Amino acid sequence: MSKVCEITGKRFQVGNNVSHSKRRTKRRFNPNLFKKKFYLPEEDRWVSLKVSASGLRLINKLGVKAALESARKNGYISKY
């Protein structure tokens, strides 16, 4: 299961764990993802997406249909 937002395309970022002695080891910062179902009234069906918190805010701002269209245009999802 990939940890990628299907609306914004957010992925993990790489950084360092830093101990008290300032040793650095690699670590991953994962996005804040949720599995959510959204209703499309135009098509009268439900769509389940893996969405980050900022992706949820984008859906609230633009609407489900417009957010899915922009995600498909940017190449984050192939179809919905």
Side-chain angles (χ1 to χ4, degrees), residues 13-28:
Q13 292 182 337
V14 178
N16 288 320
N17 271 334
V18 182
S19 68
H20 286 293
S21 64
K22 303 293 189 276
R23 283 185 76 95
R24 285 160 170 79
T25 56
K26 287 291 187 183
R27 64 162 289 187
R28 289 168 62 145

Side-chain angles (χ1 to χ4, degrees), residues 5 11 14 18-19 23 31 39 44 46-47 58 61-63 70:
C5 176
R11 299 175 174 271
V14 178
V18 182
S19 68
R23 283 185 76 95
Y39 182 69
D44 192 34
W46 289 87
V47 177
L58 191 68
K61 182 179 179 180
L62 301 177
S70 69

Side-chain angles (χ1 to χ4, degrees), residues 10-73:
K10 285 192 176 201
R11 299 175 174 271
F12 68 90
Q13 292 182 337
V14 178
N16 288 320
N17 271 334
V18 182
S19 68
H20 286 293
S21 64
K22 303 293 189 276
R23 283 185 76 95
R24 285 160 170 79
T25 56
K26 287 291 187 183
R27 64 162 289 187
R28 289 168 62 145
F29 291 95
N30 291 320
N32 190 12
L33 291 180
F34 308 98
K35 274 190 163 180
K36 295 282 288 182
K37 283 186 175 181
F38 298 98
Y39 182 69
L40 293 173
E42 299 88 6
E43 301 175 16
D44 192 34
R45 68 185 182 110
W46 289 87
V47 177
S48 62
L49 297 171
K50 199 181 306 181
V51 187
S52 64
S54 62
L56 281 174
R57 294 182 67 210
L58 191 68
I59 289 173
N60 286 336
K61 182 179 179 180
L62 301 177
V64 181
K65 185 76 170 172
L68 286 171
E69 287 294 327
S70 69
R72 191 167 51 82
K73 186 183 76 171

